[in-house]
Amino acid sequence: MSFRFNEDVFRDNSFNQKIQEKLTSALNKAFREDTSSQTTTTADINNGSVSGAVTHSDKSDILKSRINVKKTDFPTIPKFEILDLDINTQPRSLVKGICKIIVKDAMVQLNTVIESNLLLVNMKHSPSFIKPKLIENNSLEIPIVMTFKNISLEAISNIFVKNNSISISFNDVNLDFDFDCSIKILQKTIEKRLKDSMHMVFKDVLPTVLFNMSQSWFTSNHDTASGNTGGVLAAPQSASPKTVFDEVDLQELSPKNMLRLSTIVSSRHTLSLHGTSDLNSMASIPGCLEKQNLYRFISRMPSLSNYYSAYRRKEATPNANGENSSQQNEAFQYSHDDNCLPERVLREKQYDLNQILDIQNKLYERSTVDENEKPRRRVIKLGKKHKKKTESSQNPMVKSASESQNRQTTPTFEQINFPKTAGAPEVCSTPKCEVNAVHSAPAQVDYFSHDIPEIAEKSFNDKITVARDELNKRLSSKHADFNDISLTRNARINSIGSPPKRISFVGINNYYNSNGWKWGNEDHTTVLPPPPYKV
Amino acid sequence: MSFEIHWDDLHNDAALNNQIRDKLNSFFGSLELPSYLNYIQITDFKIGSHAPEIILHDISEPIAGLNPDPSCTDISDLQILFEVKYDDDLRLELNTSLVLNYPSKEFMALPINIKVNFMSLHVLCLAGIFNKGKRIVFSILCDIEDENPSEDIEARRESITDLMKDKMGSPLERLAIIKNLSIETEIGADSNATLSNDLQINDDDTISELSYSSNSNGTTLRNVDKLEQFLVEKLKNFLRQELGWPSWLTFEFDGESDSSESEEEEENDATGNAED
């Protein structure tokens, strides 16, 4: 057996008592509350074992007392074996198991009182005109004792444990028992009906009961689970229609972007690609990254592997040979899967500690789901007899802020891109512009105006327009592209000296524009491998 | 190698292995386990046959922010950057049991046996020593890629990446810490004698039943790939969360103690907590 049962429980009869209690309460649920809730219906079919002869409900009219479980006996310890196990963590946690359940020699004895007057008519809910002529409504109650002996159950079941529930399906059930009824006349019929209804019990009733039970367990035990259901419940309330875009909002969107979007929409309607031909691909929308190109973006993330790519093993270094370039490319991609510092860097003392820390910090910021999540910094006190762990009291965020302040010399991801933007050829066409670019250095150029919260944009609207006017005055009027560029406060973009923030997606298009790399659906073979990350 | 470690002395020292095992056990005994875990017991522990390589790279002034208590900075504070390479056949056998407390307490238990018999890591660590050695901050900065990976390791890695295929394309993790860890699992208990007797008496008609009872090992599941993978993943996540930069562990020493011991402790803690 795979599961080990606590033998003491079986030996000292406490299990029998427990199961007797549980059975009694379960069987009488239907008797007490005559509602059509799920638990009632399930208990109802459990009652099939007792009310046997009665096929249609209203068992409360047949059963005249509660069902008492007089005796239970499990002389042999049941067996619960795991035959196979499968654990999935993605996309969500799920444990699948195939189990075998064996119960032997069990005995259950029930007694209750039944109504044996067959002429009894229940007229509670029926109109009087269908009332039969012959009515004898004096009840004749007969106590009945039913004994199930030698119950042997052998079942193969699939068990799924999901986040907060357990579901079970019985695949192969062998159930056998000897049935003994105190009213011999009924014995045959009841037995037949019971055995007939058993497959129903295992197919439907037991799984539902167990599922509901498991859900109530998990939700009562774990706050997170209850939080989940709370979220589900809250959803319908907020289902009222919401206006995403107002007319007013539309005016604030860049007309060029709106034009592009409408081109794409219309091309979907007409299936014509003419209008979009100049767009090349949808990915050429600034700031948009298609899922299929995500890996390229990831491969360009600053990581130890690409920062020190020159020191990596030879299959990782890109080769100019055109023929195997695609293979090389794959090898290169693959090698990005792990973020490792090449050993040669250490051997040749080429490492830069601050750079390593910086990259790791960035990757950490990216990996955390919650922006306010703090790195764990536990304190372990040693030297005392008892060792205890305490969550570090000080605020690590403040500290890491001071860290980044101290490491101002190390370039950050954003910084790398900034000079390129400022020095982009179109801006530099006149010497005047360059002066301007330097002059406006604190104000960063941001291609991703969608990122900016609406309010922030509004509040800076005035400043932006002023700045833009100033720029336009200095710039030659040809540079229509500048309409897309909005100027924002440097505090928002620049992570140096400000509290740590996530990496913003500044820079894809800079590379795209200045170096000719694309992020669209180009042919795999023509794509240059992403260049090593460099300062 | 910066440090020479007389590993043979340790390796052959049965008393030391037992001592470590007992210490670990007492640590697990002191933990308050969740209700679904009965106990955690280490039945076998043996340190590997090769010493970890520790290479010292740099001793310098601590970088700012590393000291958790900036109020007491000292001129003697220092920071050590070192590399640890461990690639060894250590052995650790761990027993635990999953319990179902329904309908009565500890009604049903599922024994789980976990054997760890190989571990490799190659990492760059940073340790800050503050307050005259009374406070030590330890963090693992990054993994190091082996210059000349042995074929053995390469083959193992292949098999792991095969299993992890569905993870391809997800953003890269900043740290793995444990490059390789081989875990063997056993789920379920062997059928014990009295029970199998009961079985044979009562059961002549089902063939499957007989085949199980004839097998003295019962239906113990061995080497459940997915479970092993799951455990490794949990352990990695735990280490990454607790030790991977920018997280770190701080050890406060009240008495006299040396740093090597602290590392030992930290590793123990890690294995312990990874189980839940």
Side-chain angles (χ1 to χ4, degrees):
Chain A
M1 64 164 192
S2 292
F3 273 95
R4 195 183 284 148
F5 286 88
N6 188 351
E7 290 177 37
D8 297 341
V9 177
F10 288 89
R11 221 168 273 147
D12 64 5
N13 212 31
S14 65
F15 175 73
N16 287 335
Q17 284 167 4
K18 271 260 162 60
I19 203 104
Q20 197 169 327
E21 280 167 31
K22 298 268 176 201
L23 265 179
T24 310
S25 69
L27 289 175
N28 287 301
K29 236 179 205 162
F31 193 73
R32 267 180 277 126
E33 32 175 298
D34 207 2
T35 53
S36 57
S37 75
Q38 223 171 0
T39 45
T40 323
T41 51
T42 56
D44 167 9
I45 299 163
N46 280 336
N47 276 351
S49 57
V50 179
S51 49
V54 190
T55 42
H56 299 293
S57 56
D58 253 16
K59 63 258 160 228
S60 48
D61 284 340
I62 290 292
L63 285 178
K64 285 296 167 188
S65 81
R66 31 185 295 133
I67 304 156
N68 283 318
V69 181
K70 260 175 82 179
K71 207 175 159 194
T72 54
D73 190 18
F74 287 81
T76 358
I77 298 170
K79 289 148 78 74
F80 197 72
E81 294 175 1
I82 300 182
L83 302 183
D84 193 16
L85 190 70
D86 187 7
I87 298 175
N88 265 339
T89 45
Q90 283 180 343
R92 68 184 116 159
S93 54
L94 173 72
V95 181
K96 280 188 271 187
I98 301 177
C99 293
K100 185 173 178 177
I101 302 161
I102 301 169
V103 178
K104 299 245 159 270
D105 300 332
M107 193 271 270
V108 177
Q109 196 174 53
L110 311 168
N111 76 342
T112 184
V113 178
I114 58 165
E115 173 62 62
S116 59
N117 176 8
L118 296 176
L119 294 174
L120 189 79
V121 178
N122 178 21
M123 293 301 295
K124 245 185 249 163
H125 309 294
S126 318
S128 57
F129 65 86
I130 59 160
K131 203 173 180 182
K133 296 247 166 59
L134 184 63
I135 297 175
E136 175 49 66
N137 266 3
N138 288 325
S139 70
L140 174 62
E141 294 173 1
I142 301 176
I144 183 169
V145 179
M146 284 175 287
T147 319
F148 301 86
K149 264 190 272 180
N150 288 335
I151 304 172
S152 74
L153 166 73
E154 197 184 317
I156 306 274
S157 61
N158 287 342
I159 299 182
F160 302 89
V161 184
K162 277 174 226 161
N163 287 342
N164 51 4
S165 62
I166 298 172
S167 43
I168 293 184
S169 67
F170 291 89
N171 286 355
D172 190 5
V173 181
N174 276 320
L175 180 75
D176 198 34
F177 53 83
D178 297 338
F179 181 67
D180 189 36
C181 182
S182 62
I183 303 170
K184 292 294 169 197
I185 279 181
L186 291 176
Q187 181 162 336
K188 274 242 162 84
T189 10
I190 295 178
E191 190 174 353
K192 191 166 169 282
R193 280 175 186 278
L194 277 180
K195 289 196 167 160
D196 285 349
S197 62
M198 267 310 151
H199 82 275
M200 172 75 170
V201 170
F202 280 99
K203 245 202 167 100
D204 197 33
V205 180
L206 268 180
T208 4
V209 171
L210 286 170
F211 181 76
N212 290 336
M213 203 163 74
S214 73
Q215 274 200 322
S216 63
W217 273 356
F218 280 101
T219 41
S220 60
N221 287 350
H222 302 289
D223 293 332
T224 49
S226 64
N228 269 347
T229 53
V232 172
L233 286 176
Q237 292 174 351
S238 60
S240 60
K242 235 188 202 170
T243 315
V244 180
F245 278 118
D246 237 339
E247 286 286 314
V248 194
D249 293 330
L250 285 174
Q251 288 166 5
E252 297 193 356
L253 292 170
S254 148
K256 197 170 177 182
N257 275 344
M258 289 311 287
L259 190 68
R260 285 180 179 187
L261 283 174
S262 69
T263 318
I264 290 161
V265 169
S266 67
S267 82
R268 289 227 167 133
H269 285 308
T270 60
L271 298 179
S272 151
L273 293 172
H274 278 293
T276 55
S277 58
D278 63 316
L279 292 176
N280 216 343
S281 70
M282 281 168 71
S284 60
I285 300 173
C288 281
L289 184 67
E290 287 178 347
K291 172 90 179 179
Q292 73 248 36
N293 294 318
L294 182 63
Y295 74 95
R296 287 186 206 170
F297 180 73
I298 289 167
S299 71
R300 293 209 32 77
M301 280 290 302
S303 78
L304 294 170
S305 324
N306 54 15
Y307 185 78
Y308 290 107
S309 63
Y311 296 90
R312 290 171 67 87
R313 272 177 280 146
K314 50 183 176 296
E315 72 257 27
T317 51
N319 194 323
N321 205 335
E323 209 175 302
N324 349 331
S325 70
S326 68
Q327 274 184 348
Q328 293 285 353
N329 202 2
E330 265 168 45
F332 199 83
Q333 293 300 345
Y334 168 69
S335 63
H336 275 289
D337 277 1
D338 35 8
N339 178 39
C340 288
L341 185 71
E343 199 173 1
R344 241 180 84 199
V345 178
L346 283 172
R347 298 289 164 271
E348 296 172 14
K349 301 261 170 221
Q350 295 297 322
Y351 63 89
D352 175 358
L353 180 61
N354 285 330
Q355 191 63 55
I356 291 172
L357 295 182
D358 212 51
I359 289 173
Q360 295 294 73
N361 279 344
K362 285 270 150 57
L363 287 175
Y364 172 77
E365 282 166 27
R366 265 187 70 84
S367 67
T368 48
V369 185
D370 179 14
E371 200 160 342
N372 296 319
E373 199 177 300
K374 295 164 189 171
R376 302 252 188 113
R377 285 162 189 183
R378 291 185 197 273
V379 179
I380 296 180
K381 292 208 162 44
L382 295 171
K384 287 178 186 170
K385 277 281 164 261
H386 60 283
K387 190 170 48 185
K388 62 177 180 186
K389 285 184 173 186
T390 47
E391 201 74 46
S392 87
S393 53
Q394 29 71 36
N395 182 0
M397 268 352 223
V398 173
K399 203 167 42 197
S400 47
S402 69
E403 269 162 48
S404 54
Q405 227 154 12
N406 277 295
R407 287 205 310 278
Q408 275 201 2
T409 47
T410 62
T412 63
F413 195 39
E414 287 108 17
Q415 260 188 325
I416 298 151
N417 294 315
F418 176 64
K420 286 202 173 175
T421 319
E426 57 199 57
V427 188
C428 299
S429 54
T430 53
K432 235 183 183 179
C433 285
E434 212 176 313
V435 171
N436 169 51
V438 174
H439 176 71
S440 62
Q444 293 230 358
V445 180
D446 184 16
Y447 276 91
F448 300 89
S449 44
H450 341 287
D451 280 346
I452 309 167
E454 210 63 38
I455 311 141
E457 186 152 51
K458 267 178 194 164
S459 64
F460 292 112
N461 224 3
D462 297 346
K463 286 180 192 173
I464 292 165
T465 44
V466 169
R468 196 183 284 165
D469 289 346
E470 212 175 62
L471 264 177
N472 283 339
K473 263 181 235 164
R474 297 189 191 186
L475 286 167
S476 57
S477 55
K478 277 183 269 177
H479 303 301
D481 270 0
F482 248 81
N483 287 337
D484 267 358
I485 302 168
S486 62
L487 298 175
T488 50
R489 231 181 7 169
N490 60 346
R492 200 188 71 81
I493 288 295
N494 197 353
S495 73
I496 303 169
S498 64
K501 59 179 275 297
R502 335 220 101 207
I503 289 171
S504 56
F505 292 81
V506 181
I508 307 173
N509 284 276
N510 295 342
Y511 282 113
Y512 171 62
N513 290 335
S514 57
N515 296 356
W517 289 315
K518 294 174 183 175
W519 297 87
N521 314 309
E522 325 90 314
D523 196 3
H524 224 282
T525 49
T526 60
V527 167
L528 291 167
Y533 170 77
K534 56 175 185 277
V535 184
Chain B
M1 198 190 301
S2 301
F3 291 91
E4 264 186 48
I5 302 170
H6 292 286
W7 197 257
D8 285 342
D9 299 349
L10 296 178
H11 178 231
N12 298 322
D13 189 352
L16 179 83
N17 283 329
N18 287 339
Q19 204 183 341
I20 293 176
R21 192 193 65 201
D22 293 344
K23 264 202 161 177
L24 286 174
N25 272 333
S26 71
F27 168 72
F28 285 132
S30 68
L31 282 181
E32 199 177 309
L33 293 170
S35 64
Y36 51 84
L37 277 185
N38 213 355
Y39 58 89
I40 296 177
Q41 194 186 22
I42 287 166
T43 47
D44 191 12
F45 181 85
K46 200 157 189 224
I47 55 172
S49 47
H50 307 285
E53 276 180 52
I54 299 173
I55 302 170
L56 207 60
H57 282 291
D58 195 19
I59 297 180
S60 60
E61 220 172 272
I63 56 164
L66 193 60
N67 189 350
D69 187 7
S71 58
C72 54
T73 44
D74 190 47
I75 197 98
S76 63
D77 290 352
L78 56 94
Q79 161 189 295
I80 305 171
L81 185 72
F82 59 100
E83 176 188 342
V84 177
K85 187 176 180 181
Y86 185 77
D87 191 344
D88 206 4
D89 53 348
L90 94 166
R91 203 167 70 217
L92 189 132
E93 207 174 318
L94 194 134
N95 268 327
T96 181
S97 144
L98 218 59
V99 287
L100 178 73
N101 291 320
Y102 184 89
S104 61
K105 203 170 180 306
E106 289 174 21
F107 175 63
M108 208 159 77
L110 180 66
I112 298 174
N113 193 4
I114 298 166
K115 271 185 212 165
V116 176
N117 47 23
F118 179 86
M119 186 164 92
S120 77
L121 50 86
H122 194 176
V123 289
L124 189 66
C125 308
L126 188 72
I129 300 171
F130 303 100
N131 199 9
K132 297 190 181 77
K134 282 196 177 144
R135 187 184 305 117
I136 290 175
V137 177
F138 176 80
S139 176
I140 296 178
L141 291 186
C142 64
D143 295 311
I144 299 170
E145 189 178 41
D146 291 313
E147 183 79 352
N148 301 308
S150 65
E151 278 177 26
D152 186 36
I153 292 177
E154 199 71 342
R156 279 169 197 268
R157 184 178 292 172
E158 288 287 299
S159 67
I160 285 183
T161 43
D162 279 347
L163 290 169
M164 301 295 222
K165 267 216 170 101
D166 51 341
K167 290 202 79 183
M168 292 282 262
S170 58
L172 77 172
E173 284 292 354
R174 70 185 193 283
L175 268 168
I177 297 178
I178 293 179
K179 272 210 176 113
N180 217 321
L181 181 69
S182 114
I183 292 184
E184 283 175 22
T185 49
E186 258 183 51
I187 302 178
D190 296 352
S191 53
N192 66 41
T194 54
L195 283 160
S196 58
N197 281 343
D198 283 343
L199 249 184
Q200 274 149 6
I201 293 162
N202 296 311
D203 203 70
D204 323 26
D205 47 344
T206 44
I207 301 155
S208 63
E209 188 62 30
L210 285 174
S211 72
Y212 273 118
S213 54
S214 64
N215 180 359
S216 65
N217 280 336
T219 47
T220 307
L221 275 186
R222 279 170 212 277
N223 300 340
V224 187
D225 267 353
K226 288 285 179 84
L227 181 69
E228 287 158 19
Q229 216 177 305
F230 176 76
L231 288 174
V232 172
E233 204 53 30
K234 281 275 167 208
L235 179 65
K236 276 186 181 179
N237 277 339
F238 173 78
L239 287 177
R240 193 183 297 133
Q241 258 176 28
E242 298 290 335
L243 280 174
W245 183 270
S247 305
W248 61 62
L249 271 183
T250 306
F251 301 97
E252 304 258 8
F253 294 96
D254 285 344
E256 291 288 304
S257 218
D258 61 348
S259 64
S260 69
E261 201 176 292
S262 73
E263 257 173 69
E264 190 90 357
E265 290 289 347
E266 148 265 310
E267 213 157 289
N268 299 348
D269 290 357
T271 34
N273 283 304
E275 295 307 321
D276 50 27

